[in-house]
């Protein structure tokens, strides 16, 4: 008697890095399991950051999620605690081979809410051909970066969410991780210095940067010959691969604030694969998640179809690096030290509302103390949300 077909629906984000590897792994998993059919839909990068996973979990079995949702997931029970379904040995391997804090980023309240299938943090990117054309080398310090920006060759993402993540980066790089206390985002002294450094650089880039996300920044760098360097934006290995863009990018670690000092410490991103609590075929969904996150898949099928793996073995793999101008080995130090932002239940409210005031300050100036008080008010409110 033929087995009834199993259908699973997934939701991811609409970039080659987000959609294509999921479609490819679903296709191969179905070939290995002929009674299983997995279809993936996609949403915009902004929807990916904004739309509640509780709403998505009502409509989809599989979800590619952003790790700040971990606290929300733990509170609402909208996705499954994978530690109750996956073998302990598999999770131990995932933890041992985490890229930076990627595995930990989906852990909350003693449970693992997603598998880190994708790892990212802001890193630097360049057009080596344009730097050579201008007789320039990569900047090493913040002063070098300002000088390069004065020549009109620098761009980075300054939409609200990326602005907030970069503000976190400046705070971390000045020696103070943000959001560690209950009543303030960061100390006034560090906050003022971070904002002033940020505005000094932001004042030297084109206004278009205030309307671009990282993808749009990289498209501007590769589709035109006006921009030679991006000092920090969430990395996309796709742009380092042959044939993906008009001109390839090379990716690097970031500059240091001072000569001989520590390099900038950016804010961890990446994505995780989660399973809806509403999924009717949990066993199959778990087997698929294990397949996608496995080192064998991450090093080959997942990467070869545009994915940016979350398993350390893929980042260190010779084939993976050969196909991406050594994107992974070049940027791994930045991933390993990246700041893990808060994931408590209310932090998404803060993340959604705190970027725009910082962006307005970067565009128009203003009093840093007033801005920090506004951020603190939003932060305190977020910590008391039910």
């Amino acid at each position: 008697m033929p087995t009834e077909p199993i259908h699973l629906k997934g939701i991811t984000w609409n970039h080659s890095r987000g959609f294509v590897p999921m479609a490819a792994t679903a296709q191969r998993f179905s070939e290995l399991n002929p009674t299983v059919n997995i279809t993936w839909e996609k949403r915009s990068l902004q929807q990916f950051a904004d739309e509640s996973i509780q709403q998505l979990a009502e409509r989809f079995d599989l979800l590619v999620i952003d790790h700040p949702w971990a606290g929300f997931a733990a509170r609402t029970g909208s996705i499954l605690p994978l530690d109750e379904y996956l073998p302990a040995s598999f999770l131990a391997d995932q933890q041992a081979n985490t890229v930076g804090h990627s595995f930990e980023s989906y852990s909350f309240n003693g449970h693992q809410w997603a598998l880190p299938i994708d790892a990212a943090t802001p890193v630097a990117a360049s057009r080596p051909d344009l730097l050579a054309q201008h007789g320039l080398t990569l900047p090493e310090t913040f002063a070098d970066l300002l000088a390069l920006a004065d020549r009109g060759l620098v761009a980075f993402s300054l939409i609200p969410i990326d602005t907030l993540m970069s503000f976190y980066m400046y705070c971390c790089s000045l020696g103070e991780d943000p959001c560690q206390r209950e009543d303030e985002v960061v100390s006034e002294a560090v906050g003022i210095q971070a904002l002033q450094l940020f505005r000094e650089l932001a004042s030297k880039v084109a206004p278009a940067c205030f309307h671009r996300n990282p993808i749009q920044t990289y498209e501007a760098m590769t589709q035109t010959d006006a921009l030679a360097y991006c000092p920090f934006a969430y990395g996309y290995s796709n742009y380092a691969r042959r044939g993906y863009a008009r001109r390839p990018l090379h990716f690097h670690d970031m500059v240091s604030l001072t000569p001989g000092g520590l390099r900038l410490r950016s804010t961890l991103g990446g994505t995780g694969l989660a399973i809806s609590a509403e999924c009717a075929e949990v066993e199959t969904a778990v087997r698929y998640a294990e397949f996608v996150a496995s080192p064998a898949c991450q090093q080959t099928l997942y990467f070869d179809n545009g994915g940016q793996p979350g398993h350390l073995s893929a980042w260190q793999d010779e084939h993976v690096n050969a196909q991406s101008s050594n994107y992974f080995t070049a940027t791994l130090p930045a991933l390993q030290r990246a700041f893990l932002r808060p994931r408590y239940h209310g932090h998404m409210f803060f993340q959604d509302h705190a970027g725009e005031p910082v962006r307005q300050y970067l565009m128009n100036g203003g009093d840093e103390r007033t801005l920090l008080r506004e951020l603190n008010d939003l932060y305190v409110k977020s910590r008391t949300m039910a």
Side-chain angles (χ1 to χ4, degrees):
M1 187 174 179
T3 305
E4 283 292 313
I6 293 171
H7 298 280
L8 297 174
K9 286 201 311 178
I11 183 72
T12 185
W13 46 297
N14 67 346
H15 186 267
S16 298
R17 174 179 140 201
F19 178 74
V20 181
M22 304 318 295
T25 54
Q27 175 65 27
R28 183 59 182 143
F29 189 81
S30 294
E31 290 169 356
L32 295 170
N33 301 273
T35 61
V36 179
N37 181 47
I38 303 172
T39 56
W40 282 95
E41 296 181 22
K42 51 192 176 180
R43 51 184 172 151
S44 73
L45 193 64
Q46 194 60 50
Q47 288 173 319
F48 178 76
D50 292 345
E51 193 170 357
S52 165
I53 62 169
Q54 188 169 24
Q55 295 170 309
L56 292 170
E58 292 170 358
R59 310 200 312 271
F60 296 95
D61 303 291
L62 300 158
L63 298 86
V64 175
I65 68 169
D66 207 4
H67 66 252
W69 284 105
F72 179 90
R75 175 73 66 90
T76 61
S78 48
I79 57 179
L80 295 178
L82 296 181
D83 50 287
E84 296 183 359
Y85 297 88
L86 284 162
S89 58
F90 177 82
L91 290 174
D93 174 78
Q94 292 282 300
Q95 187 169 17
N97 287 282
T98 183
V99 179
H101 292 292
S102 293
F103 182 84
E104 179 190 349
S105 72
Y106 302 100
S107 302
F108 201 84
N109 282 3
H111 291 291
Q112 190 70 24
W113 300 100
L115 295 176
I117 58 170
D118 174 294
T121 200
V123 293
S126 72
R127 281 277 302 273
D129 58 325
L130 293 181
L131 289 175
Q133 181 181 312
H134 288 277
L136 298 169
T137 57
L138 290 170
E140 287 293 326
T141 66
F142 193 69
D144 295 342
L145 174 57
L146 293 175
L148 187 59
D150 281 333
R151 300 186 60 153
L153 297 171
V154 170
F156 53 96
S157 173
L158 284 165
I159 63 169
I161 182 62
D162 292 289
T163 296
L164 182 64
M165 298 301 101
S166 295
F167 173 62
Y168 287 173
M169 176 193 70
Y170 277 100
C171 294
C172 291
S173 302
L174 290 167
E176 185 178 335
D177 291 358
C179 304
Q180 301 302 302
R181 293 181 290 276
E182 294 191 3
D183 58 344
E184 66 177 1
V185 177
V186 68
S187 67
E188 188 174 275
V190 168
I192 290 173
Q193 189 179 358
L195 289 168
Q196 290 175 345
L197 282 170
F198 200 175
R199 186 158 196 269
E200 184 178 11
L201 178 60
S203 68
K204 297 177 183 294
V205 300
C209 291
F210 288 93
H211 306 283
R212 289 179 183 145
N213 62 27
I215 294 170
Q216 292 162 334
T217 300
Y218 295 139
E219 291 292 348
M221 290 181 72
T222 55
Q223 290 184 18
T224 75
D225 295 322
L227 302 167
Y229 188 74
C230 172
F232 42 79
Y234 281 96
Y236 280 75
S237 65
N238 310 78
Y239 293 91
R241 306 188 199 198
R242 183 170 178 260
Y244 182 78
R246 170 182 164 269
R247 292 287 186 271
L249 298 178
H250 282 199
F251 289 82
H252 321 273
D253 205 340
M254 295 166 291
V255 301
S256 58
L257 286 179
T258 57
L262 298 175
R263 293 183 181 271
L264 293 174
R265 182 168 170 241
S266 56
T267 307
L268 187 69
T271 62
L273 180 55
I275 299 173
S276 168
E278 302 291 322
C279 179
E281 300 289 346
V282 172
E283 182 184 351
T284 302
V286 168
R287 284 196 295 117
Y288 172 69
E290 187 175 0
F291 172 76
V292 174
S294 69
C297 181
Q298 290 269 295
Q299 293 167 25
T300 55
L301 184 65
Y302 187 84
F303 167 78
D304 290 338
N305 285 279
Q308 189 161 296
H311 198 278
L312 183 60
S313 65
W315 282 69
Q316 298 169 329
D317 184 78
E318 186 177 334
H319 163 78
V320 166
N321 279 283
Q323 298 299 314
S324 60
S325 301
N326 289 316
Y327 171 95
F328 296 91
T329 54
T331 62
L332 183 57
L335 270 290
Q336 298 290 42
R337 68 173 183 270
F339 166 63
L340 177 57
R341 73 189 106 149
R343 293 156 298 139
Y344 61 85
H345 175 64
H347 192 71
M348 291 304 294
F349 170 83
F350 181 77
Q351 185 170 291
D352 289 344
H353 292 86
E356 182 59 24
V358 179
R359 179 172 171 270
Q360 289 297 324
Y361 163 82
L362 296 177
M363 288 192 291
N364 305 312
D367 180 70
E368 292 87 3
R369 289 177 177 83
T370 301
L371 172 55
L372 290 171
R373 284 195 294 270
E374 183 178 355
L375 296 181
N376 288 340
D377 288 343
L378 286 168
Y379 178 61
V380 170
K381 182 177 181 181
S382 76
R383 292 193 67 95
T384 58
M385 296 181 75

